[in-house]
Amino acid sequence: MTTNLETRAADFRAYVKKMTSYNQALAVLHWDKATQAPRKGMDARSEIIGVLAGEQFKLATSKEMEAFLAELGEPSALEALDEITRHSVLECKKEFDRNKQIPAAKYQEFVVLTSQAETVWEEARANNDFSMFQPYLEKIVNFQLEFIEYWGHDGKNKYNTLLDLYEPGMTVDQLDPIFATLREKTVKLVKAIADSPNKPDTSFLHKNFPIAEQEAFSRYILEKIGYDFKAGRMDRSAHPFCTTFNPGDVRITTRYAENDFNSALFSCIHEAGHAMYEQNINPELLFTPLCDGTSMGIHESQSRFWENMIGRSLPFWNHFFADLQKAFPAQFAGVTAEDLYRAINSVTPSFIRTEADELTYNLHVMIRYEIEKGLINQTIQVADLPQIWNEKMKEYLGIEPPTDTLGVLQDVHWSGGSFGYFPTYSLGNVYAAEFAHVMKSELSGFEDLVANGDFAPIRAWLKENIHQYGKMKSPRELVQAITGEGTNATYLMDYLEKKYTDIYKL
Amino acid sequence: MTTNLETRAADFRAYVKKMTSYNQALAVLHWDKATQAPRKGMDARSEIIGVLAGEQFKLATSKEMEAFLAELGEPSALEALDEITRHSVLECKKEFDRNKQIPAAKYQEFVVLTSQAETVWEEARANNDFSMFQPYLEKIVNFQLEFIEYWGHDGKNKYNTLLDLYEPGMTVDQLDPIFATLREKTVKLVKAIADSPNKPDTSFLHKNFPIAEQEAFSRYILEKIGYDFKAGRMDRSAHPFCTTFNPGDVRITTRYAENDFNSALFSCIHEAGHAMYEQNINPELLFTPLCDGTSMGIHESQSRFWENMIGRSLPFWNHFFADLQKAFPAQFAGVTAEDLYRAINSVTPSFIRTEADELTYNLHVMIRYEIEKGLINQTIQVADLPQIWNEKMKEYLGIEPPTDTLGVLQDVHWSGGSFGYFPTYSLGNVYAAEFAHVMKSELSGFEDLVANGDFAPIRAWLKENIHQYGKMKSPRELVQAITGEGTNATYLMDYLEKKYTDIYKL
């Protein structure tokens, strides 16, 4: 490497450190706003978030960044750079190119629109009035279409451009057959479950669970599975989330329902799954754009793995059931570990995605996927969404929402302009099952590990194969390296069919 | 105002908004670090604080700022500006001039030195080893002397330049007679108290007070006196502090001692006094450099007023004693409101400033003031500090610290390079007594208000006369407008003499 290149690379790293410092600061400001900040300080907080986000955007799209990328992005320069700097350059270039395509005024207009749309959506949902939200959604869809023109597309499907934002490399061509298999088999399985006479008793999950005790038990479980509280915190917020400041400070939040044991604990395990990913990223990636999960789908695979494949498994509760009974003796009197296992895996078609069980969840995602594809390819109209939504609910889940509040208006995503995000939720499930399949073949006695509460080998496997890399590997490279194949829904369906055949004695 | 001036003024305000946004963000990052952040995230947090503080400093000292100040700082321009913009320009100019005098490399060297010195000081204090800290303190004093040369001085006393950093306009010429009166009368009073046979019983203050109940009671009292929890929070940290993000979000922290009722409650009231100042600044000053207390001394007058003149008064406890007994029935069984009043005002010469009672506190401050003056005027040497410290303790308080840990090594200030700060603690007491004197003449039945728990008129008076202005009035203007005179220690001594004559039946 020439001295000049070395100097430029060092300057670039310092520049990127500054840029990522803004991201970290913004994450703290957001977290504090969602968990701690008093009401009267909110407006000023939003303003300073706006100021700092603007500065961060300037850094990411500056002439200085352009010069770095032109110089360090040259094939010969890239080749000479160390691996971390090379990947950092490529990641910054991707962001830069994407941001530079859209005229600043156009983007500003979109930011204002989505900010308004989110407020309107909240009102529309509260009033069960889709017509309020419709004009905003139409404008947002039109922005997506314009953005796709700016960003360009592969000529096959315009929706691919949006998918790539959240799951780099993913396309409709790959997703359609995966989701088709998933849908067909899931619909069949849900039907068989509905017809089964062996329904689990879930009544004990809805006894009274004092919040302080739920919180203590959730903390206990998270410590046991290996979320590092010395590198994180658990607080409360309106909606659960995980946020990363740096790998030494990855925080999760949750919310509690006194009459629903299912609600907080599994959401905590879910968020801890996200958090353990970030806590275990190679510390050398700190202050680079690579210090993050590689895609939304891979991130979701970690949360779903811990929530469902570990937290909702029988070996897990064979291990923890005694602790649970100790924490809630009256609530779980006369209940066995297997009763609990069956209850927390009860399958019931329902209207709200975020409250859906492990099996029907994917059907909720598919409805959104199909609608998004249709909107972006202009084969369906925003005005028809309530009807389309309800028809698909009827077709896939066998139930029809009585209101749009319980239907097409339930999710925040579209009001914020997030199209292409929903499929990553199901991709997370698909990936999780693929990873678990390989993990089980590599870790002998996987079920015994869980049954013994010995999660260290499982965490070590995840760190070794997934977590450490951050964004150094693309999701496709990661999946290929672990499984030796591509995205394949067979493992998920095998897992689900086995699990529910057993629970419902099909 | 010309169109050009109007445009420049608007640009300046936008620029200053950005600059103050960094300050707000930094305050959040510091607060979170002190109260919430997990250990493993601390290093990265310190780094991003460094990055953002650097950016803020650049904004405050940029060519752009220089141009604004040159243009808007012209007498004719200043005159044409609205009041808030004019004061903002003057405030920025003061900061700019101060920052610009010192070469960047010199300042950087000082920052590194104080950062190291703080660590060394901690160790020296833990090991009772002044010689460890001595070379660092010598260098820090030399930096102060250099800085004074850069900043310039009034030819009367070099220490004035440092006083002005914390208490604009304050000088040794003003302080010396004030502190002389205070010292002489206080020493006499302390002696009379020591000779009094009527010592209060304080034993009940050291029973066991469970922390959760102390916290609940402290919150209750803060709500009653009018700290607005919708515009703030109360959390725990190693050392109590108050921090302002904006007037709608002013947070306080405290720490609890199970066996000392005195410790947390009065520190909470003290910090709430600071916080109520900031919560009541005119909201129009948000995002200007004026949205802050006008000086350390005036700030301290607010905390001391609430802590001592309200919180340690008999009418206050005549009102709240029933609530206190309800919160801690066993601990205060057989105790009367007057017993409590006398106990919390017990005077005992002690080694540690932060634990000193209301009366002897000022003597601790004076020792530091005299030493600082001597160091800066080079009439005393750092090497002699332990001896000088102990001699002064003996002279003023009648006791001699057995170790430097309990003596000259006790305070963090000097290791951080804060010289000129200590006197503002006693100035706070002086101002508080002056303000209280006027307030009592303007609010009829002041003692009845306190005895009825009716603090709204008191808060309204403070807001009207002090809080609303932020930095729009200098401390001198504020004191003059309220009292019609300058800084005068007579009111404080009259108050103290009356209070302790009564308590100790002198």
Side-chain angles (χ1 to χ4, degrees):
Chain A
M1 191 155 42
T2 65
T3 316
N4 182 46
L5 188 63
E6 261 173 40
T7 312
R8 289 296 284 162
D11 289 349
F12 170 74
R13 283 190 295 267
Y15 187 90
V16 164
K17 177 173 176 176
K18 191 203 281 191
M19 207 170 77
T20 53
S21 293
Y22 278 84
N23 291 336
Q24 289 186 34
L26 282 162
V28 176
L29 295 172
H30 277 294
W31 174 84
D32 183 82
K33 186 163 181 272
T35 59
Q36 311 265 348
R39 194 168 48 73
K40 291 184 184 174
M42 290 293 183
D43 288 348
R45 175 61 59 86
S46 296
E47 293 205 57
I48 71 163
I49 287 175
V51 170
L52 266 71
E55 294 300 301
Q56 196 279 341
F57 187 79
K58 274 186 211 162
L59 288 170
T61 56
S62 69
K63 291 241 171 293
E64 209 173 339
M65 177 60 93
E66 193 167 19
F68 279 128
L69 296 177
E71 207 165 331
L72 303 176
E74 277 288 314
S76 65
L78 274 179
E79 210 172 315
L81 291 172
D82 67 278
E83 206 187 350
I84 292 178
T85 309
R86 180 166 64 247
H87 277 90
S88 297
V89 170
L90 293 173
E91 187 64 27
C92 286
K93 190 160 163 39
K94 196 168 160 184
E95 276 299 300
F96 181 86
D97 289 344
R98 194 173 273 157
N99 288 326
K100 270 306 199 190
Q101 308 296 331
I102 296 178
K106 176 66 66 183
Y107 186 71
Q108 187 56 32
E109 212 184 307
F110 176 67
V111 169
V112 173
L113 171 65
T114 51
S115 162
Q116 292 167 337
E118 212 167 305
T119 311
V120 172
W121 163 76
E122 269 177 24
E123 231 178 296
R125 186 177 64 156
N127 296 324
N128 185 37
D129 183 357
F130 182 76
S131 70
M132 275 181 72
F133 183 47
Q134 185 185 321
Y136 289 86
L137 187 52
E138 281 166 351
K139 279 186 205 159
I140 289 171
V141 170
N142 285 335
F143 265 104
Q144 301 298 312
L145 295 173
E146 277 193 85
F147 287 176
I148 291 169
E149 292 310 317
Y150 283 119
W151 287 327
H153 51 86
D154 60 9
K156 290 185 182 160
N157 196 311
K158 291 185 175 179
Y159 188 60
N160 289 345
T161 302
L162 301 180
L163 280 175
D164 191 69
L165 294 176
Y166 303 98
E167 198 64 18
M170 188 48 65
T171 61
V172 168
D173 276 354
Q174 295 173 74
L175 268 185
D176 273 353
I178 292 168
F179 279 7
T181 311
L182 212 54
R183 188 179 59 238
E184 195 189 326
K185 293 195 173 179
T186 303
V187 168
K188 204 176 289 174
L189 192 53
V190 170
K191 187 149 187 347
I193 287 169
D195 294 342
S196 162
N198 302 301
K199 302 263 189 318
D201 172 18
T202 61
S203 59
F204 50 83
L205 297 178
H206 301 284
K207 292 185 174 175
N208 188 278
F209 296 89
I211 286 173
E213 289 159 34
Q214 282 195 57
E215 185 172 337
F217 189 73
S218 295
R219 277 180 194 278
Y220 172 77
I221 293 289
L222 296 200
E223 269 169 21
K224 290 290 176 186
I225 65 174
Y227 169 74
D228 183 354
F229 277 95
K230 290 197 189 69
R233 297 177 46 90
M234 185 169 86
D235 296 89
R236 298 189 199 177
S237 63
H239 304 283
F241 65 91
C242 166
T243 184
T244 302
F245 306 152
N246 59 70
D249 195 348
V250 187
R251 306 185 184 183
I252 61 176
T253 70
T254 191
R255 37 108 193 84
Y256 298 90
E258 270 209 334
N259 296 306
D260 187 1
F261 175 75
N262 259 324
S263 174
L265 176 64
F266 293 102
S267 144
C268 287
I269 299 175
H270 179 98
E271 299 305 334
H274 282 303
M276 287 189 279
Y277 187 176
E278 307 258 344
Q279 286 181 332
N280 288 295
I281 291 176
N282 176 2
E284 286 178 35
L285 301 183
L286 181 62
F287 292 121
T288 77
L290 311 170
C291 196
D292 197 356
T294 189
S295 73
M296 302 306 298
I298 299 294
H299 232 306
E300 197 72 6
S301 77
Q302 298 309 293
S303 54
R304 298 280 165 170
F305 172 77
W306 284 102
E307 178 192 352
N308 291 327
M309 294 175 188
I310 300 285
R312 290 189 211 266
S313 75
L314 186 55
F316 185 84
W317 287 107
N318 279 336
H319 181 72
F320 284 116
F321 194 67
D323 294 331
L324 181 69
Q325 277 195 319
K326 216 165 136 192
F328 302 103
Q331 294 89 330
F332 291 113
V335 175
T336 67
E338 193 172 337
D339 293 339
L340 180 79
Y341 167 66
R342 296 187 69 217
I344 61 176
N345 284 297
S346 155
V347 171
T348 318
S350 62
F351 301 123
I352 301 294
R353 174 184 58 85
T354 57
E355 294 164 11
D357 55 75
E358 185 180 359
L359 182 63
T360 60
Y361 189 90
N362 294 318
L363 297 175
H364 289 271
V365 171
M366 271 168 233
I367 291 171
R368 290 149 179 83
Y369 169 65
E370 290 167 18
I371 288 176
E372 289 190 349
K373 260 197 317 181
L375 287 170
I376 298 304
N377 289 295
Q378 293 174 280
T379 57
I380 60 180
Q381 302 301 314
V382 169
D384 299 329
L385 287 195
Q387 196 199 327
I388 295 172
W389 184 283
N390 291 358
E391 285 168 5
K392 286 190 186 284
M393 280 294 289
K394 183 86 192 159
E395 187 186 345
Y396 300 162
L397 284 143
I399 57 174
E400 210 168 323
T403 64
D404 290 335
T405 299
L406 292 170
V408 69
L409 285 173
Q410 69 184 269
D411 294 306
V412 69
H413 303 57
W414 292 339
S415 74
S418 295
F419 283 77
Y421 187 131
F422 279 121
T424 68
Y425 290 128
S426 283
L427 273 172
N429 290 328
V430 169
Y431 291 147
E434 290 190 75
F435 297 156
H437 180 78
V438 177
M439 190 193 296
K440 285 175 189 176
S441 74
E442 293 182 2
L443 292 181
S444 65
F446 174 84
E447 294 211 346
D448 290 344
L449 292 175
V450 178
N452 291 325
D454 182 9
F455 302 106
I458 296 171
R459 286 200 311 276
W461 189 95
L462 291 170
K463 180 173 181 171
E464 171 72 19
N465 288 283
I466 302 170
H467 299 173
Q468 60 163 326
Y469 295 109
K471 278 181 183 286
M472 289 282 281
K473 287 189 180 185
S474 73
R476 201 191 292 228
E477 286 166 344
L478 210 58
V479 172
Q480 185 66 38
I482 294 169
T483 65
E485 60 177 316
T487 313
N488 184 341
T490 312
Y491 303 101
L492 177 61
M493 279 320 304
D494 286 353
Y495 154 80
L496 290 170
E497 277 166 355
K498 187 174 174 312
K499 181 170 184 173
Y500 290 104
T501 299
D502 177 45
I503 290 170
Y504 282 90
K505 308 187 174 44
L506 302 177
Chain B
M1 194 157 37
T2 63
T3 318
N4 182 45
L5 187 63
E6 260 172 43
T7 312
R8 288 296 285 163
D11 289 349
F12 169 74
R13 283 190 295 267
Y15 187 90
V16 165
K17 177 174 176 174
K18 191 203 282 189
M19 207 170 78
T20 53
S21 293
Y22 279 83
N23 291 336
Q24 289 186 34
L26 282 161
V28 176
L29 295 173
H30 277 294
W31 174 84
D32 182 81
K33 186 163 180 275
T35 59
Q36 312 265 346
R39 194 167 48 73
K40 292 184 183 175
M42 290 295 184
D43 289 348
R45 174 61 58 86
S46 297
E47 292 205 57
I48 71 162
I49 287 175
V51 170
L52 265 71
E55 293 299 301
Q56 196 279 341
F57 187 79
K58 273 187 211 162
L59 288 171
T61 56
S62 68
K63 290 240 172 294
E64 209 174 339
M65 176 60 93
E66 192 167 23
F68 278 128
L69 296 177
E71 206 164 334
L72 302 176
E74 278 288 313
S76 65
L78 275 178
E79 208 173 316
L81 291 172
D82 66 277
E83 207 187 347
I84 292 178
T85 309
R86 180 168 64 248
H87 278 89
S88 298
V89 169
L90 294 172
E91 188 64 28
C92 286
K93 189 160 164 37
K94 196 168 159 183
E95 276 298 301
F96 181 87
D97 289 344
R98 190 171 277 155
N99 289 325
K100 269 306 198 190
Q101 309 296 331
I102 297 178
K106 176 66 66 184
Y107 187 72
Q108 186 57 33
E109 211 185 308
F110 176 67
V111 169
V112 172
L113 171 66
T114 51
S115 163
Q116 293 167 338
E118 211 167 306
T119 311
V120 172
W121 163 75
E122 269 178 23
E123 232 179 296
R125 186 177 64 156
N127 297 325
N128 185 37
D129 183 357
F130 182 76
S131 70
M132 274 181 74
F133 183 47
Q134 186 184 320
Y136 288 87
L137 187 52
E138 282 166 350
K139 279 186 205 159
I140 289 171
V141 170
N142 285 335
F143 265 104
Q144 301 298 312
L145 295 173
E146 278 194 85
F147 287 176
I148 291 169
E149 293 309 316
Y150 284 119
W151 288 326
H153 50 85
D154 60 9
K156 290 185 181 160
N157 196 310
K158 290 185 178 181
Y159 187 59
N160 289 345
T161 302
L162 302 180
L163 280 175
D164 192 68
L165 295 176
Y166 303 98
E167 197 65 18
M170 188 49 64
T171 61
V172 169
D173 276 355
Q174 295 173 74
L175 269 185
D176 273 353
I178 293 169
F179 279 7
T181 311
L182 213 54
R183 189 178 59 239
E184 196 189 325
K185 293 194 173 180
T186 303
V187 168
K188 204 176 289 173
L189 193 52
V190 170
K191 189 151 181 352
I193 286 169
D195 295 342
S196 163
N198 302 301
K199 301 265 192 313
D201 171 18
T202 60
S203 59
F204 49 83
L205 297 179
H206 300 284
K207 293 186 174 173
N208 187 276
F209 296 90
I211 286 173
E213 288 159 34
Q214 281 194 57
E215 185 172 340
F217 189 72
S218 295
R219 279 180 194 277
Y220 171 76
I221 292 290
L222 296 200
E223 269 169 21
K224 289 291 177 186
I225 66 174
Y227 169 74
D228 183 355
F229 278 95
K230 290 197 189 69
R233 298 175 47 89
M234 185 170 86
D235 297 88
R236 297 190 199 178
S237 63
H239 304 284
F241 65 91
C242 166
T243 184
T244 301
F245 306 152
N246 59 70
D249 195 348
V250 187
R251 306 185 185 184
I252 61 176
T253 70
T254 192
R255 37 109 193 84
Y256 298 91
E258 269 208 335
N259 296 306
D260 187 0
F261 175 74
N262 260 325
S263 173
L265 176 64
F266 293 102
S267 143
C268 287
I269 299 175
H270 178 99
E271 299 305 334
H274 283 301
M276 287 189 281
Y277 187 175
E278 306 258 345
Q279 286 182 332
N280 287 296
I281 290 176
N282 176 2
E284 284 178 39
L285 301 183
L286 180 62
F287 293 120
T288 78
L290 312 170
C291 196
D292 197 355
T294 189
S295 73
M296 302 307 297
I298 300 295
H299 232 306
E300 198 72 5
S301 77
Q302 298 309 293
S303 54
R304 299 281 166 169
F305 172 77
W306 284 102
E307 177 192 353
N308 290 328
M309 296 177 187
I310 302 285
R312 291 191 210 266
S313 75
L314 186 54
F316 185 84
W317 287 107
N318 279 335
H319 181 71
F320 284 115
F321 193 68
D323 294 330
L324 180 69
Q325 278 196 318
K326 216 166 136 191
F328 303 102
Q331 295 89 331
F332 291 112
V335 174
T336 67
E338 194 172 336
D339 294 340
L340 180 79
Y341 167 65
R342 297 187 69 217
I344 59 176
N345 285 297
S346 156
V347 171
T348 319
S350 62
F351 301 122
I352 301 294
R353 175 185 57 86
T354 56
E355 293 164 10
D357 54 76
E358 185 180 357
L359 182 63
T360 60
Y361 188 91
N362 294 318
L363 298 175
H364 289 271
V365 171
M366 270 168 234
I367 292 171
R368 289 149 179 84
Y369 168 66
E370 290 167 17
I371 287 176
E372 289 189 351
K373 258 195 320 180
L375 287 170
I376 298 304
N377 289 294
Q378 293 173 281
T379 57
I380 60 180
Q381 302 302 314
V382 169
D384 300 329
L385 288 196
Q387 195 199 325
I388 295 173
W389 185 282
N390 290 359
E391 285 167 5
K392 287 191 186 284
M393 280 294 289
K394 184 86 192 158
E395 186 186 348
Y396 300 162
L397 284 142
I399 55 174
E400 210 169 323
T403 64
D404 290 335
T405 299
L406 291 171
V408 69
L409 284 173
Q410 69 184 271
D411 294 306
V412 68
H413 302 59
W414 292 340
S415 73
S418 294
F419 283 78
Y421 188 130
F422 279 122
T424 67
Y425 290 130
S426 282
L427 273 173
N429 290 327
V430 169
Y431 291 148
E434 291 191 74
F435 296 157
H437 180 79
V438 178
M439 191 192 297
K440 284 174 189 176
S441 75
E442 292 182 2
L443 293 181
S444 64
F446 174 85
E447 294 211 346
D448 290 343
L449 291 175
V450 178
N452 292 325
D454 182 9
F455 302 106
I458 295 171
R459 284 199 312 276
W461 190 95
L462 292 169
K463 179 173 181 171
E464 171 72 18
N465 289 283
I466 302 170
H467 298 174
Q468 60 162 327
Y469 295 110
K471 279 181 182 286
M472 288 282 280
K473 287 189 179 184
S474 72
R476 199 192 292 229
E477 286 167 341
L478 210 57
V479 172
Q480 185 66 36
I482 293 170
T483 66
E485 58 178 315
T487 313
N488 184 342
T490 312
Y491 303 101
L492 176 60
M493 279 320 305
D494 287 353
Y495 154 82
L496 290 171
E497 278 167 356
K498 188 175 174 312
K499 181 170 185 174
Y500 291 104
T501 300
D502 178 44
I503 291 172
Y504 283 91
K505 306 187 176 42
L506 302 178

